[in-house]
Amino acid sequence: LDFARKQRAAQAPEIAEKALLQLLDSAAPEEIKRPSLLELALLAQEQKQYAKAQQLFSKYAKLYVNDPSLPEILYRQGILYREMGAPVMALSKFYAVMSTALTLKLDQFAYYQRLVLLAKIEIADTYYLKGSFEEASDYLSRLLKADDPALNKAIVQYKLIRSLSNLGRDNEVVAQAKAFLTTHSTSNDGA
């Protein structure tokens, strides 16, 4: 497993994949097979083999239902589905991140809270990217109300302004634009 990880880090995906497949086909204990399957999925994702990565992440999620990394697996699946042009599937995975993080009740509260925030951002972005500006504006408005220092509010508000503009809600565009200029006049976030 360490050898495969080193090969993956050294940009030798073929060697890493071969080593991981050998581990998965061997009589290795479950505590070796579980991270091997995850490594193989991450490798496929890095290689932009989205369908393969999706299959491997799905297999992982089915085999390890109570695994603490399940919300992150679902998050990665959401990103992959969006990259593959399947926004509805992406949205379902992002919503699953939130429900799974709540049901696992694990001790890493800050980590899961961050994953839930990322899922909410991705939900808003997915609606925004697919041109569903009504839903995007709703989620972006909710994100603006969040009091999380990890949230880039300048970008969120900028996307909200664009969404409202696409909906023809000019009064709200003006109000949000004024608020944006007041709040982020020195912002250099590239929004």
Side-chain angles (χ1 to χ4, degrees):
L1 182 57
D2 287 338
F3 173 77
R5 286 179 174 151
K6 286 177 185 172
Q7 294 305 309
R8 183 176 145 223
Q11 302 297 316
E14 297 85 11
I15 298 169
E17 181 177 13
K18 185 177 178 183
L20 291 167
L21 288 171
Q22 285 176 347
L23 276 173
L24 290 169
D25 288 337
S26 73
E30 204 59 35
E31 58 267 11
I32 298 294
K33 286 188 174 191
R34 185 185 57 76
S36 297
L37 181 58
L38 184 55
E39 281 291 320
L40 192 58
L42 294 171
L43 181 65
Q45 183 179 12
E46 286 173 2
Q47 298 299 306
K48 299 192 185 314
Q49 298 172 340
Y50 298 143
K52 183 177 181 178
Q54 206 55 276
Q55 288 177 325
L56 292 166
F57 282 132
S58 291
K59 182 177 181 178
Y60 188 94
K62 285 177 186 163
L63 289 173
Y64 308 107
V65 178
N66 295 320
D67 190 89
S69 63
L70 190 57
E72 185 175 344
I73 299 300
L74 295 168
Y75 176 79
R76 287 178 178 276
Q77 284 186 292
I79 298 290
L80 286 170
Y81 274 127
R82 196 170 62 203
E83 288 292 319
M84 295 168 73
V88 174
M89 294 297 293
L91 288 168
S92 73
K93 292 299 179 180
F94 294 136
Y95 283 115
V97 169
M98 294 187 290
S99 61
T100 305
L102 291 173
T103 59
L104 285 177
K105 297 177 185 171
L106 300 167
D107 57 351
Q108 299 174 322
F109 182 72
Y111 168 73
Y112 292 110
Q113 194 173 28
R114 173 82 171 126
L115 265 177
V116 167
L117 176 66
L118 288 174
K120 289 177 181 179
I121 292 168
E122 295 302 337
I123 288 168
D125 281 351
T126 302
Y127 281 126
Y128 181 81
L129 291 170
K130 76 177 217 166
S132 297
F133 297 112
E134 191 68 47
E135 291 87 351
S137 65
D138 180 44
Y139 279 89
L140 292 164
S141 294
R142 287 190 227 171
L143 281 170
L144 277 180
K145 293 174 187 172
D147 190 28
D148 192 318
L151 183 64
N152 187 335
K153 287 193 175 189
I155 290 176
V156 171
Q157 194 163 21
Y158 173 78
K159 289 178 181 177
L160 176 59
I161 293 166
R162 297 277 315 254
S163 295
L164 293 170
S165 176
N166 280 304
L167 292 169
R169 291 162 51 183
D170 298 335
N171 291 340
E172 292 174 76
V173 170
V174 171
Q176 285 295 330
K178 284 180 180 177
F180 179 87
L181 291 172
T182 302
T183 308
H184 308 290
S185 62
T186 59
S187 176
N188 215 6
D189 293 328

